[in-house]
Amino acid sequence: MESETVIDNLTEQDARVELARLSSVLSQANQAYHQADAPMLSDAEYDALRRRNAAIEARFPTLKRPDSPSDQVGAAPVSGFSKVRHAVRMMSLGNAFDDTDVDDFVSGIRRYLGLEETAALAFTAEPKIDGLSLSLRYENGTLVQAATRGDGTVGENVTDNARTMPDIPTELTNAPDVLEVRGEVYMRHADFERLNAMQTQKGARTFANPRNAAAGSLRQLDAHITRQRPLAFFAYAWGEVSEPLGASQSESLDRLAALGFQTNPLTQKCQNVDDMLKHYKKIETLRATLGYDIDGVVYKVDDLSYQSRLGFRSTTPRWAIAHKFPAELAWTRLEAIDIQVGRTGALSPVARLAPVTVGGVVVSNATLHNEDYIAGRDNTGATIRDGKDIRVGDWVQIYRAGDVIPKIADVDLNKRSKDARPYDFPTKCPECQSDALREAGDAVRRCTGGLICPAQAVEKLKHFVSRAAFDIEGLGAKQIEAFYQDEVLPVREPADIFTLETRNVASLAKLENRDGWGVKSVTKLWAAIEAKRLIPLNRVIFALGLRHVGEASANLLARHYGAWSKFEEGVISATDESSAAWADLLSVDGVGEVMARALTASFAQEAERASIDRLIAHLTVQDIEVPETDDSPVAGKTVVFTGTLEKMSRAEAKARAEALGAKVSGSVSTKTDLLIAGLGAGSKAKKAAKLGIQTLDEDGWLALIAEA
Ligand code: IVH
């Protein structure tokens, strides 16, 4: 059968052609199966073709297609997860809470094994990831099953979902015939924040913390949803194996890494308790900078023959222990609730706290999210903190998880003063006194003042000059605040930036003569502003600071419409939701009804539209041309930038790549085609090397795009 033919002697060209063919055959087969309900291949044939595709991709990772069948999940949604009995039980860990517990753990093991004080006994120490554990079963190198821990004996079958995760290889080369890899599924802070922002935008439920988000995402019945969730995986253990991965814990982890799994870079071999505690301290110090949640350090006996002698108690191994971090919690008094008004008018309540140290950091502010949160409800109306509301004067418990903004975990009702009243959320904007309204389905109350609201106007201007927008050198948040207040040379809307120079000429209080400015810096500022009169469409769209339109959406909109006039006309005509223009707007990848309505609403507002028109009159907006796929060396490829670029800004390099038809991603995965490594590139470059991803330095990148 063709699918069983060897791939060892395929040339790169053959492989490219073959991957295209497999992608087409498998996609037809998928369609026949799911839509026409008339399978054209048997299950065995289908699986064999998928395996062949995966094997070719594993050998030629750079040839993996954006529409690779490996990334397509064929299975239809199921009504519930089937159950899986683990071949080897999934254990939990005992806990150590202080140095003495760790000492006792080590001496207990020495005693158990009958080892002298002087005999060598090494341990590994690694972060305890705050996620959920997953067991991956590979047979003959192919991922056949992924299961959650469940009760340790029986878990849930989440194979389709696991297959969508970039950190989980679906095929392994040179693996034992049977291999169960175990590790933790988790979500990075940045991805968690982004996911919650998207959920809010869609009016869907948000997650309380990255762990819940990871669990909720992995346990989705529809694998298509899991695919869209940014889940990551660290391997740290194994279940059934047909042959040992190594003689020690550390060797085995190295083997897992060589097989293509992510292992935690902070794993270290320790020779004694001192080393272990030193590493614990180091990890604790790094905790806030890791970008994902950890809740302790796990120590494991390194020698596997010792591990097997030590064995298990009822639910925990004798050879491992989790040394937990002290909870990052502290009680303090809530002194006031302030309301901040953002660029889109959102009224955000902020808790002003009597300063308190939480996990080594002094905290005096915490987010209160919105009025429901203060009242003790989440955005679905369910209670949080057991329904306790938050009142000014309350004793509140603050918690920090990594570098995530501090939150209020609890309220001490016993300490509440008798005359404390529930917080009255303002219904007028505290900055401009306009009505602050809450639309149905929106968790947030917003100021309706638009541009007359000084807070909105200043935030909009700051956004306008920010890096991914107009990026005007010498005109940052501080200068914007000052110009906004300036009586002589006011900047109240973006268009005013472009008339500054001429207004200054006629001004009596010339900028050059003011504190903080001089002839040189002013001349530079004019040049910087001048340079931005010519500006690409995507930057303009992003700079307008329209609700829900982030950098990525702005790029997509720019690529779709191509020119400012088309964009403006398209959005204005889309106000009529039965029009072709509305359908066209919704056809843009990543634009949903919420964003589309926000766009049309902005352009339908007289004052906002006039302000945009005044701005555009000063600009030459560059069209975005999406090249034909074959025209550019990076068309259709997923490109990642890392390290410092010297010859162009990261934002510019990104824009160039996108203009050449590439998809720019922030993280390296098996889907990455090309990594551009600038100066000081670190972990991403290492990962790319491990995955065999083509990597170029900045000059190589410039040479590549020069051909385009
Ligand atoms: S080893 C037989 N290593 O912690 C020992 N577990 O509280 C298997 N966890 O169920 C676990 N990071 O979900 C191990 N580096 C790590 C871990 C880790 C997180 C989780 C795992 C386990 C739970 C026990």
Side-chain angles (χ1 to χ4, degrees), residues 89-95 105 149 307 310-322:
R89 270 198 70 184
M90 288 183 82
M91 292 292 186
S92 78
L93 291 169
N95 291 322
F105 164 70
R149 186 168 86 146
Q307 277 193 15
L310 286 156
F312 299 87
R313 296 182 209 91
S314 64
T315 58
T316 58
R318 270 191 205 87
W319 44 264
I321 201 162

Side-chain angles (χ1 to χ4, degrees), residues 421-487:
R421 293 279 155 264
Y423 180 68
D424 226 349
F425 203 91
T427 51
K428 298 252 184 246
C429 171
E431 300 283 342
C432 72
Q433 312 312 321
S434 302
D435 285 340
L437 300 182
R438 189 170 166 192
E439 286 168 26
D442 197 349
V444 169
R445 193 171 281 279
R446 286 173 205 278
C447 162
T448 53
L451 292 176
I452 71 144
C453 175
Q456 283 191 56
V458 170
E459 292 308 313
K460 254 184 177 308
L461 281 164
K462 285 186 195 163
H463 172 81
F464 183 85
V465 298
S466 66
R467 266 185 78 166
F470 270 64
D471 192 18
I472 299 175
E473 218 183 311
L475 196 57
K478 207 172 98 205
Q479 291 80 4
I480 284 292
E481 300 244 10
F483 275 122
Y484 187 82
Q485 305 287 348
D486 201 306
E487 303 276 327

